[in-house]
Amino acid sequence: SALIAYLLSYFWQKGKKAKIGIFVITTIFIVGSLLIVHPRNKIWKDNQALFRATLVLNPGAAPIREYLADELRQQGNIEAAKAEYEEILKRNPQYGGISHIYTNLADYYRERGDIEKALAYYKKAVEMSAGGNYTAYNNLGAFYVEQKEYLKALLPLCKALQINPQAP
């Protein structure tokens, strides 16, 4: 933005033609922005409405779908959140935050008492983290501790600390 300000200032000093050009470009930018932003403001009743409207236009937008799922989960609509997480897995299995998606599904199954599925999803979260996400290892270790499998918990918890020694 400093570069843009510098360029505008530089050309502004060049004369009348440059000022007219800057004015025209700025006007086009403002009008274009209004044409895009104003209709979106009508949609934005709440975050869920905006996320859903965005997903209609771009169903493969994994980060938006994750925000929607997180919002649904926070509001207690766990089944709808699970469906959105699963949709991310189906539509975009290479999504950069896929480890987080697997963790959320693991949490869902753990809360439902389906220990086998929960463990499978925690392990998948670790696998998809490619060794770089300490929280995936930490969650797997915490799951083993919760199951009173302390020796199994040791390796993922140590790996989490190895990745991020400052982790809580």
Side-chain angles (χ1 to χ4, degrees):
S1 64
L3 178 63
I4 293 171
Y6 172 77
L7 291 174
L8 287 174
S9 174
Y10 174 79
F11 285 113
W12 190 261
Q13 296 171 9
K14 287 295 181 184
K16 189 174 181 179
K17 286 184 180 180
K19 288 178 183 177
I20 292 171
I22 290 172
F23 177 77
V24 168
I25 291 171
T26 304
T27 303
I28 290 170
F29 178 76
I30 290 171
V31 170
S33 295
L34 286 173
L35 292 174
I36 293 169
V37 172
H38 185 67
R40 298 293 286 172
N41 283 343
K42 292 178 184 177
I43 295 168
W44 197 352
K45 295 172 183 58
D46 59 18
N47 286 345
Q48 280 188 39
L50 182 63
F51 297 153
R52 289 183 193 283
T54 302
L55 290 170
V56 166
L57 298 173
N58 186 359
I64 300 298
R65 193 170 299 280
E66 183 179 3
Y67 294 144
L68 174 60
D70 291 345
E71 181 101 3
L72 291 166
R73 185 177 180 162
Q74 288 174 356
Q75 293 179 351
N77 195 345
I78 306 300
E79 295 301 322
K82 175 186 172 263
E84 295 298 336
Y85 292 132
E86 288 174 338
E87 189 68 20
I88 293 170
L89 293 180
K90 185 173 95 176
R91 287 183 179 271
N92 198 342
Q94 301 305 315
Y95 168 53
I98 203 73
S99 178
H100 182 247
I101 303 306
Y102 281 110
T103 296
N104 285 326
L105 287 168
D107 290 343
Y108 169 85
Y109 286 110
R110 183 182 51 78
E111 291 165 7
R112 298 285 178 279
D114 191 338
I115 303 306
E116 289 178 24
K117 276 191 176 178
L119 178 59
Y121 277 109
Y122 282 125
K123 286 181 176 179
K124 189 69 174 177
V126 165
E127 176 189 331
M128 297 307 290
S129 78
N133 183 351
Y134 87 91
T135 57
Y137 288 95
N138 187 64
N139 291 337
L140 177 59
F143 176 78
Y144 280 133
V145 167
E146 189 177 89
Q147 300 304 309
K148 297 183 182 2
E149 296 187 44
Y150 304 112
L151 289 177
K152 286 184 179 179
L154 212 57
L155 185 61
L157 290 174
C158 287
K159 181 67 175 175
L161 284 173
Q162 183 181 22
I163 294 169
N164 185 353
Q166 307 305 321

